[in-house]
Amino acid sequence: MRIGDAKQTYEADEAIWTTQTQKLWFGLFLLLLLVFPFMADSYLLYLGCLVGIAVISTTGLNILTGFTGLISLGQAGFMGVGAYTVAWLSVNTALPFPVTLLLAGLMAAAVGILVGLPSLRVKGLYLAIATLAASVFLHFIFAEWESVTGGMGGMSLEPAHLFGWSFQSDFMMYFIIVPLAVLMVLAAANVFRTRIGRAFIAIRDRDISAEILGIDLLRYKLMSFALSSFYAGVAGGLFAYFFRVVTPESFPLSMSIFYLAAVIVGGMGNLLGGILGAVFMTLVPEALKLLTSALTPFYPNAPVFMSPMLEIIFGALIVGFLIFEPHGLAEIWHRIRRFFHLWPFRN
């Protein structure tokens, strides 16, 4: 056998081995997710559900900001649209939760298209301000349209139900939120294997060149806004079912900053980065609460001192990762894999 043929055979075997290993680890990961709720206590189940919701919303924002290059500060507003859609449908109809979640995503996508219309003319900081203004406007609607949203008092809703099953506990909600998060991440990964996903990336890299190549900028930017908002709407609907109460204060501006921070910390334009960022940023407030509880016996004013620290930490994480590790946690993970370069971390 010639050296070239031997090399090709080796590379083919290596690719097959890598694919099989990835499938094995993905299967083990799914098994871990399945076993987790039977081993975890109520607090860990609560965190698991929060992480699942955060993964869905962060993945949606990553599609828009990380893969298409359109900065958005309106994610909380789009989640609010989804949450109020689910709440209204739950109160006024008897639709099962899969239908209400789908309608919540579609409603948020429609709002996202309207918000995305200026994206052909403005981008960067100006687009971020436009989405911020949209989020403020949506918050105003949530607070003032009392006949639909319940005003500042918000809305309460019944637990999610399907075929006579009622999903009341965190344990039951886990089996809605986490599988849906896995499916939506896989769906996003498949989008970027299509012409639409490649168009998003081309617009991010250089929109003028993309337009010269025949990509309709407005069409694909609006598609990106719609897809991102759909994910946010579904996440907002799950948020509503999980907490079973929706108020305007459930979706403040700080929530939009939270998800933008998750995308940046995890790694923009990387689906694994979105997952890692969502997990990391969800655990940061919980770690801060534990630290506050530990300090309180020694420093009684610790809660007062630590209460404004969350926004400071979010801002510091964004700045720190932009300066020192712009590719985020995903790049750190890839460095760890390259460092070991041994089974089971090998490429």
Side-chain angles (χ1 to χ4, degrees), residues 71-91:
I71 301 175
S72 173
L73 287 173
Q75 199 73 350
F78 300 137
M79 287 184 66
V81 171
Y84 274 104
T85 301
V86 161
W88 190 90
L89 291 173
S90 176
V91 170

PDB file of all heavy atoms in Angstrom, residues 71-91:
ATOM      1  N   ILE A  71     -26.704  42.705  17.344  1.00  0.00           N
ATOM      2  CA  ILE A  71     -26.761  42.837  18.803  1.00  0.00           C
ATOM      3  C   ILE A  71     -28.180  43.167  19.238  1.00  0.00           C
ATOM      4  O   ILE A  71     -28.823  44.059  18.680  1.00  0.00           O
ATOM      5  CB  ILE A  71     -25.787  43.919  19.294  1.00  0.00           C
ATOM      6  CG1 ILE A  71     -24.357  43.577  18.873  1.00  0.00           C
ATOM      7  CG2 ILE A  71     -25.860  44.069  20.806  1.00  0.00           C
ATOM      8  CD1 ILE A  71     -23.350  44.658  19.210  1.00  0.00           C
ATOM      9  N   SER A  72     -28.675  42.450  20.235  1.00  0.00           N
ATOM     10  CA  SER A  72     -30.038  42.668  20.723  1.00  0.00           C
ATOM     11  C   SER A  72     -30.049  42.778  22.240  1.00  0.00           C
ATOM     12  O   SER A  72     -29.417  41.984  22.931  1.00  0.00           O
ATOM     13  CB  SER A  72     -30.943  41.512  20.284  1.00  0.00           C
ATOM     14  OG  SER A  72     -32.222  41.620  20.887  1.00  0.00           O
ATOM     15  N   LEU A  73     -30.791  43.761  22.705  1.00  0.00           N
ATOM     16  CA  LEU A  73     -31.060  43.907  24.141  1.00  0.00           C
ATOM     17  C   LEU A  73     -32.551  43.756  24.410  1.00  0.00           C
ATOM     18  O   LEU A  73     -33.068  44.293  25.390  1.00  0.00           O
ATOM     19  CB  LEU A  73     -30.564  45.270  24.631  1.00  0.00           C
ATOM     20  CG  LEU A  73     -29.041  45.437  24.744  1.00  0.00           C
ATOM     21  CD1 LEU A  73     -28.686  46.878  25.083  1.00  0.00           C
ATOM     22  CD2 LEU A  73     -28.473  44.493  25.788  1.00  0.00           C
ATOM     23  N   GLY A  74     -33.227  43.019  23.537  1.00  0.00           N
ATOM     24  CA  GLY A  74     -34.668  42.858  23.681  1.00  0.00           C
ATOM     25  C   GLY A  74     -35.112  41.461  24.051  1.00  0.00           C
ATOM     26  O   GLY A  74     -36.303  41.152  23.988  1.00  0.00           O
ATOM     27  N   GLN A  75     -34.170  40.593  24.464  1.00  0.00           N
ATOM     28  CA  GLN A  75     -34.525  39.201  24.720  1.00  0.00           C
ATOM     29  C   GLN A  75     -35.555  39.070  25.840  1.00  0.00           C
ATOM     30  O   GLN A  75     -36.462  38.232  25.760  1.00  0.00           O
ATOM     31  CB  GLN A  75     -33.264  38.397  25.048  1.00  0.00           C
ATOM     32  CG  GLN A  75     -33.416  36.899  24.895  1.00  0.00           C
ATOM     33  CD  GLN A  75     -33.481  36.453  23.450  1.00  0.00           C
ATOM     34  OE1 GLN A  75     -33.593  37.266  22.540  1.00  0.00           O
ATOM     35  NE2 GLN A  75     -33.414  35.160  23.240  1.00  0.00           N
ATOM     36  N   ALA A  76     -35.435  39.888  26.870  1.00  0.00           N
ATOM     37  CA  ALA A  76     -36.407  39.828  27.965  1.00  0.00           C
ATOM     38  C   ALA A  76     -37.801  40.192  27.477  1.00  0.00           C
ATOM     39  O   ALA A  76     -38.797  39.579  27.884  1.00  0.00           O
ATOM     40  CB  ALA A  76     -35.977  40.758  29.099  1.00  0.00           C
ATOM     41  N   GLY A  77     -37.888  41.176  26.593  1.00  0.00           N
ATOM     42  CA  GLY A  77     -39.187  41.566  26.048  1.00  0.00           C
ATOM     43  C   GLY A  77     -39.825  40.446  25.247  1.00  0.00           C
ATOM     44  O   GLY A  77     -41.032  40.180  25.361  1.00  0.00           O
ATOM     45  N   PHE A  78     -39.023  39.759  24.416  1.00  0.00           N
ATOM     46  CA  PHE A  78     -39.554  38.653  23.620  1.00  0.00           C
ATOM     47  C   PHE A  78     -39.983  37.487  24.521  1.00  0.00           C
ATOM     48  O   PHE A  78     -40.991  36.826  24.255  1.00  0.00           O
ATOM     49  CB  PHE A  78     -38.511  38.177  22.616  1.00  0.00           C
ATOM     50  CG  PHE A  78     -38.083  39.249  21.647  1.00  0.00           C
ATOM     51  CD1 PHE A  78     -36.738  39.421  21.320  1.00  0.00           C
ATOM     52  CD2 PHE A  78     -39.004  40.094  21.074  1.00  0.00           C
ATOM     53  CE1 PHE A  78     -36.344  40.406  20.439  1.00  0.00           C
ATOM     54  CE2 PHE A  78     -38.624  41.092  20.183  1.00  0.00           C
ATOM     55  CZ  PHE A  78     -37.285  41.250  19.863  1.00  0.00           C
ATOM     56  N   MET A  79     -39.219  37.241  25.578  1.00  0.00           N
ATOM     57  CA  MET A  79     -39.627  36.218  26.539  1.00  0.00           C
ATOM     58  C   MET A  79     -40.944  36.614  27.216  1.00  0.00           C
ATOM     59  O   MET A  79     -41.806  35.763  27.458  1.00  0.00           O
ATOM     60  CB  MET A  79     -38.542  36.012  27.590  1.00  0.00           C
ATOM     61  CG  MET A  79     -37.319  35.272  27.098  1.00  0.00           C
ATOM     62  SD  MET A  79     -36.118  34.955  28.424  1.00  0.00           S
ATOM     63  CE  MET A  79     -37.041  33.828  29.473  1.00  0.00           C
ATOM     64  N   GLY A  80     -41.095  37.897  27.504  1.00  0.00           N
ATOM     65  CA  GLY A  80     -42.339  38.368  28.096  1.00  0.00           C
ATOM     66  C   GLY A  80     -43.533  38.143  27.178  1.00  0.00           C
ATOM     67  O   GLY A  80     -44.620  37.767  27.636  1.00  0.00           O
ATOM     68  N   VAL A  81     -43.345  38.377  25.887  1.00  0.00           N
ATOM     69  CA  VAL A  81     -44.424  38.125  24.918  1.00  0.00           C
ATOM     70  C   VAL A  81     -44.840  36.653  24.973  1.00  0.00           C
ATOM     71  O   VAL A  81     -46.035  36.323  25.009  1.00  0.00           O
ATOM     72  CB  VAL A  81     -43.979  38.501  23.496  1.00  0.00           C
ATOM     73  CG1 VAL A  81     -45.002  38.039  22.466  1.00  0.00           C
ATOM     74  CG2 VAL A  81     -43.776  40.009  23.385  1.00  0.00           C
ATOM     75  N   GLY A  82     -43.862  35.757  24.987  1.00  0.00           N
ATOM     76  CA  GLY A  82     -44.170  34.337  25.068  1.00  0.00           C
ATOM     77  C   GLY A  82     -44.854  33.970  26.366  1.00  0.00           C
ATOM     78  O   GLY A  82     -45.823  33.183  26.386  1.00  0.00           O
ATOM     79  N   ALA A  83     -44.380  34.531  27.470  1.00  0.00           N
ATOM     80  CA  ALA A  83     -44.952  34.208  28.779  1.00  0.00           C
ATOM     81  C   ALA A  83     -46.395  34.690  28.878  1.00  0.00           C
ATOM     82  O   ALA A  83     -47.282  33.960  29.357  1.00  0.00           O
ATOM     83  CB  ALA A  83     -44.104  34.833  29.882  1.00  0.00           C
ATOM     84  N   TYR A  84     -46.657  35.923  28.439  1.00  0.00           N
ATOM     85  CA  TYR A  84     -48.025  36.437  28.518  1.00  0.00           C
ATOM     86  C   TYR A  84     -48.951  35.719  27.541  1.00  0.00           C
ATOM     87  O   TYR A  84     -50.142  35.558  27.819  1.00  0.00           O
ATOM     88  CB  TYR A  84     -48.028  37.944  28.257  1.00  0.00           C
ATOM     89  CG  TYR A  84     -47.759  38.759  29.491  1.00  0.00           C
ATOM     90  CD1 TYR A  84     -46.520  39.350  29.710  1.00  0.00           C
ATOM     91  CD2 TYR A  84     -48.751  38.932  30.462  1.00  0.00           C
ATOM     92  CE1 TYR A  84     -46.267  40.091  30.848  1.00  0.00           C
ATOM     93  CE2 TYR A  84     -48.511  39.671  31.604  1.00  0.00           C
ATOM     94  CZ  TYR A  84     -47.266  40.256  31.795  1.00  0.00           C
ATOM     95  OH  TYR A  84     -47.027  40.980  32.937  1.00  0.00           O
ATOM     96  N   THR A  85     -48.427  35.284  26.400  1.00  0.00           N
ATOM     97  CA  THR A  85     -49.247  34.505  25.465  1.00  0.00           C
ATOM     98  C   THR A  85     -49.682  33.195  26.104  1.00  0.00           C
ATOM     99  O   THR A  85     -50.854  32.807  26.045  1.00  0.00           O
ATOM    100  CB  THR A  85     -48.461  34.228  24.166  1.00  0.00           C
ATOM    101  OG1 THR A  85     -48.083  35.464  23.557  1.00  0.00           O
ATOM    102  CG2 THR A  85     -49.304  33.422  23.187  1.00  0.00           C
ATOM    103  N   VAL A  86     -48.731  32.501  26.730  1.00  0.00           N
ATOM    104  CA  VAL A  86     -49.056  31.255  27.420  1.00  0.00           C
ATOM    105  C   VAL A  86     -50.041  31.512  28.561  1.00  0.00           C
ATOM    106  O   VAL A  86     -51.014  30.755  28.742  1.00  0.00           O
ATOM    107  CB  VAL A  86     -47.765  30.591  27.951  1.00  0.00           C
ATOM    108  CG1 VAL A  86     -48.084  29.576  29.039  1.00  0.00           C
ATOM    109  CG2 VAL A  86     -47.022  29.906  26.819  1.00  0.00           C
ATOM    110  N   ALA A  87     -49.814  32.568  29.329  1.00  0.00           N
ATOM    111  CA  ALA A  87     -50.694  32.865  30.467  1.00  0.00           C
ATOM    112  C   ALA A  87     -52.118  33.163  29.989  1.00  0.00           C
ATOM    113  O   ALA A  87     -53.090  32.651  30.555  1.00  0.00           O
ATOM    114  CB  ALA A  87     -50.135  34.043  31.263  1.00  0.00           C
ATOM    115  N   TRP A  88     -52.242  33.975  28.954  1.00  0.00           N
ATOM    116  CA  TRP A  88     -53.574  34.325  28.451  1.00  0.00           C
ATOM    117  C   TRP A  88     -54.282  33.105  27.893  1.00  0.00           C
ATOM    118  O   TRP A  88     -55.476  32.884  28.154  1.00  0.00           O
ATOM    119  CB  TRP A  88     -53.450  35.406  27.378  1.00  0.00           C
ATOM    120  CG  TRP A  88     -54.778  35.995  26.987  1.00  0.00           C
ATOM    121  CD1 TRP A  88     -55.401  37.072  27.542  1.00  0.00           C
ATOM    122  CD2 TRP A  88     -55.662  35.497  25.956  1.00  0.00           C
ATOM    123  NE1 TRP A  88     -56.608  37.293  26.932  1.00  0.00           N
ATOM    124  CE2 TRP A  88     -56.787  36.348  25.955  1.00  0.00           C
ATOM    125  CE3 TRP A  88     -55.599  34.449  25.058  1.00  0.00           C
ATOM    126  CZ2 TRP A  88     -57.850  36.167  25.072  1.00  0.00           C
ATOM    127  CZ3 TRP A  88     -56.663  34.264  24.174  1.00  0.00           C
ATOM    128  CH2 TRP A  88     -57.770  35.105  24.184  1.00  0.00           C
ATOM    129  N   LEU A  89     -53.570  32.292  27.122  1.00  0.00           N
ATOM    130  CA  LEU A  89     -54.178  31.082  26.563  1.00  0.00           C
ATOM    131  C   LEU A  89     -54.544  30.086  27.648  1.00  0.00           C
ATOM    132  O   LEU A  89     -55.568  29.404  27.561  1.00  0.00           O
ATOM    133  CB  LEU A  89     -53.207  30.436  25.561  1.00  0.00           C
ATOM    134  CG  LEU A  89     -52.976  31.205  24.259  1.00  0.00           C
ATOM    135  CD1 LEU A  89     -51.867  30.546  23.443  1.00  0.00           C
ATOM    136  CD2 LEU A  89     -54.259  31.276  23.434  1.00  0.00           C
ATOM    137  N   SER A  90     -53.722  30.011  28.683  1.00  0.00           N
ATOM    138  CA  SER A  90     -54.014  29.091  29.783  1.00  0.00           C
ATOM    139  C   SER A  90     -55.269  29.506  30.540  1.00  0.00           C
ATOM    140  O   SER A  90     -56.069  28.656  30.948  1.00  0.00           O
ATOM    141  CB  SER A  90     -52.820  29.030  30.745  1.00  0.00           C
ATOM    142  OG  SER A  90     -53.099  28.228  31.857  1.00  0.00           O
ATOM    143  N   VAL A  91     -55.454  30.812  30.704  1.00  0.00           N
ATOM    144  CA  VAL A  91     -56.602  31.306  31.447  1.00  0.00           C
ATOM    145  C   VAL A  91     -57.879  31.241  30.608  1.00  0.00           C
ATOM    146  O   VAL A  91     -58.964  30.911  31.130  1.00  0.00           O
ATOM    147  CB  VAL A  91     -56.345  32.755  31.923  1.00  0.00           C
ATOM    148  CG1 VAL A  91     -57.620  33.386  32.498  1.00  0.00           C
ATOM    149  CG2 VAL A  91     -55.231  32.784  32.958  1.00  0.00           C
TER     150      VAL A  91
END
